[in-house]
Amino acid sequence: MAMGAPRNAFLVRNFLKYAVIFGEGSRGDTAYLLQEGRVEISKMAEGRKKVLAILSPVSMFGEMAILLGDERRTATAVALEESKVVEIQRHAFEEFIRQSPPMVNSLVTVLVHRLKTATAKSLHVPSLFFGVCHTLALMARHGATDLNYLDTLASLTAAFNAAKDSVEAVLATLAEDGLIAFEVDAQRERHIVIRQTEDLVATAAERRKAAQE
């Protein structure tokens, strides 16, 4: 496990077939890493269960409650067979990702999947502003600080099931606060350059609070 995190930050748990790992709407501040078995991710939509994904090792799930700063689970996770997972506490999550390069790839794969598939549109995001900030912070943390504007806009719009104008308004606010900048390259393509690479979310929250006072 991550060298900088305390041992009690990680707990290996075993779930029997059809056991509920967590339920939609429940509170939680942990992420999970699937080591063995299969896990179904689903949510209720219009009174019916909608399966969002069937996960196999090695997959990360439950991390949205951490990434988006919301303690409410956006979906239900059920073990489809006997499964072993590593439960990762909130305070150790970032350190775990930073010190475990293979898990960075796993996490990025999960995020890209959610950004590009229609199932992502059914996920509820409690705060678009907070969600966009966390996503940009995650990208910056792993070295992606120069992003194609149109690609990023499309991804954020799909991921958060939000209107294009709403996402652009969030990006404009972040630019106004000096946390990101818009630049045009030699091919006349617009880019988002993340200027605030440390504590982006906290800084954004502080500047918004100051602007509203």
Side-chain angles (χ1 to χ4, degrees):
M1 293 301 171
M3 295 178 291
R7 290 186 178 183
N8 61 4
F10 306 99
L11 176 65
V12 177
R13 302 183 61 186
N14 294 292
F15 291 90
L16 296 175
K17 186 176 182 179
Y18 300 136
V20 176
I21 300 173
F22 57 76
E24 181 180 353
S26 63
R27 301 190 75 86
D29 60 356
T30 54
Y32 296 86
L33 183 68
L34 178 61
Q35 289 190 323
E36 297 177 11
R38 289 190 307 143
V39 171
E40 175 190 86
I41 306 297
S42 67
K43 77 179 279 101
M44 296 301 293
E46 299 179 352
R48 303 168 117 187
K49 185 178 85 169
K50 181 172 184 179
V51 177
L52 303 178
I54 303 295
L55 305 179
S56 300
V58 173
S59 297
M60 181 92 57
F61 63 100
E63 80 288 347
M64 296 305 277
I66 295 177
L67 293 178
L68 300 180
D70 183 35
E71 295 183 351
R72 293 288 182 183
R73 299 294 187 186
T74 60
T76 295
V78 175
L80 293 181
E81 56 191 58
E82 289 191 19
S83 302
K84 178 187 290 186
V85 304
V86 177
E87 187 176 80
I88 307 170
Q89 299 296 320
R90 177 192 293 272
H91 65 273
F93 179 73
E94 296 293 355
E95 185 69 9
F96 172 69
I97 293 300
R98 187 180 71 80
Q99 294 194 25
S100 306
M103 293 308 100
V104 172
N105 293 334
S106 175
L107 178 59
V108 170
T109 297
V110 170
L111 292 176
V112 168
H113 175 74
R114 287 179 177 167
L115 291 171
K116 292 186 176 180
T117 62
T119 57
K121 295 183 179 181
S122 65
L123 294 177
H124 169 68
V125 175
S127 167
L128 178 61
F129 180 81
F130 205 47
V132 169
C133 287
H134 269 284
T135 303
L136 294 179
L138 182 67
M139 292 178 177
R141 195 171 296 117
H142 300 303
T145 58
D146 189 333
L147 314 170
N148 180 276
Y149 182 89
L150 292 179
D151 289 345
T152 304
L153 177 62
S155 295
L156 293 171
T157 299
F160 300 133
N161 190 23
K164 175 183 174 183
D165 291 348
S166 297
V167 176
E168 288 192 304
V170 171
L171 294 174
T173 297
L174 294 177
E176 179 183 333
D177 289 343
L179 303 180
I180 66 173
F182 302 128
E183 297 182 0
V184 178
D185 63 19
Q187 287 71 44
R188 297 177 179 263
E189 290 189 347
R190 198 179 188 193
H191 286 243
I192 298 171
V193 178
I194 303 175
R195 287 180 169 175
Q196 181 76 26
T197 57
E198 298 291 335
D199 299 322
L200 188 153
V201 179
T203 303
E206 290 175 0
R207 295 189 181 179
R208 282 301 88 204
K209 181 179 179 180
Q212 294 170 2
E213 291 179 347

